Every structure is written in C-alpha cells, then in structure tokens.
Amino acid sequence: MLQPVVAFVGNAAIGLTGLLAIWHLLSMTLSSNPQLAAFTDMAPTAALMALGAMAADKTLAVHMGASLGRIAAGLAIAAVLGLVTGLLIGLIGRLQRITYMPFQLLRMISPLAWMPIAVIAFDTWNGAIIFIITAAAVWPIVYSVSGAVRKLNPEWLELADNLGASRLQKIRDFVLPATAQDLFSGLRLALGISWVVLVPAELLGVTSGLGYALNDARDALEYDRLAAMVLAIGIIGMILDSLAMLLVRRWSWRATS
C-alpha cells in the first residue's frame, strides 16, 4: 500500500533535486560572466528567500488571490459554454457538421490575439482578462464533451427512450455521468492553457496578479523577486493540475468499477 507512495515521493525528490542543481549551475555560470553578473540574484537561494519574504508579508497571497479569481471566473464561464456546446454538437450530427469549420477557425486563433478587442469591448481590465481566459479554455472542453457524447452507445439512448425517459432525463441521468470523466479531462487541459495565458494577459493594465508581480519585479530589476514569482507560478500551477487530476480519477469508470 505504501510502496507506490514511497516510490512517487522518491522519484519526485530526485527530479526536484536535479532541477535545483541545474538551476544552481546556471546561476554560477551567470555569476562568472561580468556582463551577466546582475542576474546572479536569480539563484535558487536568493529566489527562495524572496519567495519566503513575499509569503510572510502577504504580498504573494494578494497576487495569488487575484490571479486565481480570474482563472476561476474564466474557467467557470468556459465550463458552462463548453459543456452546453459540446452536448449540442455531440447529440446533433447536423449541428456538428455545420459548426466544424467556424469552430476550427476560432479555435486556431491565439487567445492573446483577442487582447486588443477585449480591451475595447470590456469596461474593466478584469473583464478583458477573464474573456481571454475563457477564449483559451472553452475549446478543450467543447471537444472533450462532444467526443465523449459521440462515443456513447446509441442503443443505451434507445433503451432510455423505451423506458419513457425525456430528453432532459437522458442528458441528466445518462449522458452527463457518462461524459463526466471527459469533461474533467477537458477542464484539466483548459486549466493548463489558461494558466499559461494568464501571465501575459495580466500585463494589460491591472495592478495585482502573478503576471503583474512578475512584470513589476522585472521593471524594478529585482531579479530575486522575479525568480521567486516564476517559481511561485510553477508551484501553484502544479498544485492546480494535481487537483484537476484528482477530479479526473474520481470520475474515472476504471477507478470506480
């Protein structure tokens, strides 16, 4: 029972130690070059001390709360839009064929390309950032849900019809539980994309958030704080991805059978 946990912890420790070692070697390489000596504050020790200081004075909590709030709002909107759209194009074959080309066109537009339009369309910077996150997150959810619906055995739907189930009952009691794992897998993928998009999106003009703090540290030439923010973004993103993976496993048919 404990052997997989011990193995996981051991492998994780080896991997993180290797990463810290590479980081330390790179910082030593920078310090040996007079032209790059200013970047030596990005070494692991300095970055960890800066991260601890930001955690102690609540600065990290403030920026983290602002970013997580935007991610949560964008993902919530994307989840609703993606679930409804995915169900519709999964259940209605004609609609899937009609929407294929326009959806592919929109999907291939970088979410960051919407920045100028978002700034014009929304009254607040927060609204613009949430729109960009939604634009990044919606497509993985749409295609995960629609693909899951199309994989359902049509005979099961026919059986539900024979038992007198309404369309709403079929969706609520059969389609949604059967596609839950794919929905959460899509949400996990959407979360990863949104987290990558968040940092450049927060350069729009807000005065809080991890992206803002990263840019502020760069402008102030505080390289230890800059490295600390990069580290914080990676750690928080890893924790969020782990939580999303737990949801996927919770709804896995293989895990619950």
Side-chain angles (χ1 to χ4, degrees):
M1 183 68 179
L2 292 177
Q3 186 174 359
V5 177
V6 173
F8 173 81
V9 173
N11 291 330
I14 294 172
L16 290 175
T17 301
L19 178 62
L20 286 173
I22 294 171
W23 185 1
H24 178 68
L25 289 174
L26 288 174
S27 66
M28 290 181 62
T29 302
L30 292 175
S31 63
S32 64
N33 188 335
Q35 295 180 344
L36 302 175
F39 296 98
T40 54
D41 284 342
M42 297 182 72
T45 303
L48 290 171
M49 290 178 61
L51 185 62
M54 293 180 68
D57 64 11
K58 304 297 195 303
T59 302
L60 179 62
V62 170
H63 292 305
M64 183 175 67
S67 292
L68 291 179
R70 294 170 187 134
I71 285 286
L75 277 179
I77 297 171
V80 174
L81 292 176
L83 177 60
V84 173
T85 306
L87 288 174
L88 287 174
I89 65 177
L91 292 170
I92 305 173
R94 179 74 185 278
L95 183 61
Q96 190 273 332
R97 292 188 291 272
I98 291 173
T99 59
Y100 177 78
M101 289 301 293
F103 278 8
Q104 287 296 319
L105 174 65
L106 292 172
R107 186 174 71 89
M108 297 309 296
I109 298 174
S110 168
L112 299 178
W114 295 106
M115 274 187 175
I117 298 173
V119 171
I120 297 172
F122 291 89
D123 295 332
T124 64
W125 295 113
N126 262 343
I129 294 172
I130 291 171
F131 169 79
I132 293 170
I133 292 172
T134 301
V138 69
W139 300 114
I141 301 172
V142 168
Y143 286 106
S144 294
V145 173
S146 63
V149 172
R150 287 196 295 272
K151 289 187 296 184
L152 295 178
N153 191 334
E155 293 181 358
W156 296 352
L157 294 174
E158 292 176 6
L159 177 60
D161 286 331
N162 294 335
L163 293 174
S166 66
R167 175 165 293 186
L168 180 60
Q169 287 175 323
K170 287 190 294 183
I171 293 175
R172 182 191 63 197
D173 299 330
F174 174 67
V175 176
L176 286 179
T179 59
Q181 182 182 2
D182 294 271
L183 169 62
F184 287 118
S185 295
L187 275 172
R188 184 192 179 199
L189 180 58
L191 173 63
I193 297 172
S194 301
W195 196 246
V196 172
V197 168
L198 174 70
V199 172
E202 285 185 331
L203 303 180
L204 281 177
V206 292
T207 57
S208 63
L210 298 171
Y212 164 79
L214 186 71
N215 190 56
D216 183 61
R218 184 202 65 181
D219 292 342
L221 302 181
E222 297 178 3
Y223 296 115
D224 56 342
R225 187 158 63 93
L226 189 151
M229 291 310 306
V230 172
L231 183 61
I233 290 169
I235 292 172
I236 297 168
M238 183 178 64
I239 293 172
L240 292 175
D241 182 74
S242 298
L243 293 175
M245 176 55 74
L246 289 177
L247 286 175
V248 174
R249 290 178 177 173
R250 166 65 180 80
W251 289 96
S252 171
W253 286 43
R254 178 179 299 174
T256 57
S257 60

